[in-house]
Amino acid sequence: MELKDSIRERIGSTGPMPFEDFMSLALYHPEGGFFSSGKLRSEKGGDFLTSPEVSALFGRTLAVFVERERHRIGEPFEVLEVGAGSGSLLGSLLDAVEVDATAVDASPAARQSLRSILPADRVGGTMPDTVRGVIIANELADNLPMALAQRVDGVWRERWVGPDDSGLCFVDSEPRPEVVDWLDSHAGPVADGGWVEVQIEAANWVKSALERLVAGSLLVFDYGDTAENLLPRRQDGTLRTYRAHHLGPHPLDEPGETDITADVNFSALASIAAAAGARVELLRQDDFLTDLGLRVRLSELRHSELEAARSGDEMERLRLRTLKTEAETLLHPRGLGDFRVLVAYK
Ligand SMILES: C[S@@+](CC[C@H](N)C(=O)[O-])C[C@H]1O[C@@H](n2cnc3c(N)ncnc32)[C@H](O)[C@@H]1O
């Protein structure tokens, strides 16, 4: 049975479900969830391209941060990546720095790929109890199931998922207390009609990662912004789907067949991290990578490319040009450079 039909059947017997339950089934249902299907999603032939898939320079630049943190807190020290996908980040990071590493991913296809980079006992489906070092999550928070709310006549209403004649539709629901709490604390002054993705699971994940972090830091990379800067995007909300590198159909139309995602409210994550006792910085990805030396590396690559052109070494010129373009992509102020990075130190 198709996942959409089994969701309709379930709704038929138990009634409409919160959007986060629908999103959880659509992405992670063991038979038919988008990330459970056996395909690796975050790679060139997949459905979206992430920073580490764009370039090994991302992981190599993060290696500088890892070395800084090791210098700050000393041994024992390890790196944990959560939602590690194909392993492209850890692979390039481990090329640049020698450090114990563990990878966690909910997707069986991702775990299989990660076993080609790390020993099998270093790859798992859940976070270890304690970590001393650096925890990295790149584009994880935007994939964690979220509730959905709309501002109507000055109050919050939740949008659950119910059946219509042939498919699924949003249905109005009284908001649950935990949803109202999150909205009142983190959504900001949303105008009437505005849609908000209620990212309680992302907040819980940050809290849980920081509880496990004995000393070191947590790095969360993603698209999104502060609650205030997200306000102009609230009219339609930021919930969307991706398939084969393009925006996909309506999130309710093809569960299991598309990625479902939304901009991450970094104010919410920052305040959860601060409440958990961490020292918090919220940065743009281009600034974060510049501080770790990527812009200097880009200048060197431009210079070396010119040198190779002058000396007539065409193969070397092309190799350097590719690397230069990758660095420019990671730093692009309206692309990956515009991602946000939450750095939470303990
Ligand atoms: C958008 S992909 C990013 C993959 C990789 N970090 C990258 O940048 O290419 C999100 C990944 O997070 C994984 N994931 C989602 N929820 C998770 C959870 N609770 N614990 C571990 N991994 C999770 C998914 O299976 C998927 O591989």
Side-chain angles (χ1 to χ4, degrees):
M1 186 192 291
E2 291 230 331
L3 184 57
K4 189 172 180 178
D5 295 328
S6 86
I7 293 174
R8 271 175 61 80
E9 205 173 272
R10 187 156 151 180
I11 288 172
S13 60
T14 56
M17 61 174 70
F19 184 77
E20 82 241 32
D21 290 356
F22 166 81
M23 184 166 165
S24 180
L25 292 169
L27 296 185
Y28 306 110
H29 187 285
E31 292 146 28
F34 179 73
F35 285 110
S36 317
S37 70
K39 284 191 204 148
L40 202 49
R41 300 299 187 170
S42 52
E43 58 176 1
K44 289 198 173 63
D47 294 278
F48 44 81
L49 261 192
T50 60
S51 298
E53 295 291 336
V54 163
S55 177
L57 287 169
F58 187 69
R60 284 188 214 146
T61 307
L62 289 201
V64 177
F65 181 87
V66 166
E67 284 290 32
R68 272 189 200 168
E69 281 296 273
R70 177 149 62 184
H71 187 252
R72 182 173 74 86
I73 67 165
E75 300 285 351
F77 186 94
E78 65 178 315
V79 170
L80 167 68
E81 188 184 1
V82 185
S86 70
S88 50
L89 194 163
L90 272 185
S92 49
L93 187 141
L94 294 174
D95 280 345
V97 59
E98 207 172 300
V99 67
D100 285 341
T102 304
V104 168
D105 202 289
S107 149
R111 290 199 295 275
Q112 189 178 342
S113 174
L114 288 161
R115 280 186 216 107
S116 66
I117 290 161
L118 295 174
D121 64 349
R122 289 287 187 162
V123 177
T126 52
M127 283 194 281
D129 290 342
T130 59
V131 180
R132 194 176 187 285
V134 177
I135 304 178
I136 303 172
N138 188 61
E139 294 201 34
L140 167 72
D142 72 89
N143 271 149
L144 295 177
M146 47 196 88
L148 205 52
Q150 196 177 13
R151 192 87 182 148
V152 182
D153 296 333
V155 295
W156 292 112
R157 300 296 302 171
E158 243 192 284
R159 297 299 175 221
W160 285 28
V161 179
D164 68 7
D165 289 346
S166 58
L168 297 166
C169 65
F170 288 131
V171 295
D172 178 60
S173 170
E174 187 69 29
R176 290 164 292 163
E178 65 271 29
V179 170
V180 176
D181 280 353
W182 188 98
L183 287 161
D184 289 346
S185 305
H186 304 300
V190 175
D192 235 34
W195 290 76
V196 180
E197 304 82 23
V198 182
Q199 295 167 339
I200 296 172
E201 191 156 329
N204 288 342
W205 184 82
V206 165
K207 199 162 164 272
S208 158
L210 286 171
E211 277 165 8
R212 289 153 205 266
L213 187 67
V214 179
S217 50
L218 166 68
L219 291 176
V220 179
F221 300 85
D222 225 310
Y223 34 82
D225 211 324
T226 59
E228 189 187 355
N229 291 341
L230 287 173
L231 285 176
R233 300 177 215 171
R234 289 291 167 224
Q235 193 176 352
D236 297 318
T238 71
L239 191 70
R240 56 196 181 272
T241 67
Y242 284 108
R243 182 163 55 197
H245 303 290
H246 294 287
L247 280 174
H250 188 280
L252 299 184
D253 282 354
E254 298 181 35
E257 303 297 323
T258 67
D259 186 20
I260 303 178
T261 179
D263 288 357
V264 172
N265 179 334
F266 272 94
S267 304
L269 299 191
S271 77
I272 299 293
R279 179 169 67 79
V280 177
E281 289 175 358
L282 186 53
L283 304 160
R284 289 173 55 88
Q285 180 161 301
D286 49 5
D287 291 337
F288 178 77
L289 296 176
T290 296
D291 176 57
L292 297 172
L294 187 57
R295 210 169 285 280
V296 171
R297 180 84 182 104
L298 174 59
S299 306
E300 288 167 359
L301 286 166
R302 284 183 178 139
H303 181 75
S304 308
E305 187 196 354
L306 280 175
E307 291 288 300
R310 278 195 203 107
S311 68
D313 187 344
E314 188 57 10
M315 288 303 283
E316 181 62 358
R317 188 184 76 78
L318 287 176
R319 188 185 74 81
L320 292 163
R321 192 177 71 173
T322 303
L323 275 177
K324 181 195 77 177
T325 306
E326 290 174 4
E328 285 167 345
T329 305
L330 291 176
L331 293 168
H332 196 289
R334 288 185 305 283
L336 291 172
D338 190 36
F339 276 35
R340 295 294 179 274
V341 191
L342 174 80
V343 193
Y345 295 97
K346 273 182 92 175

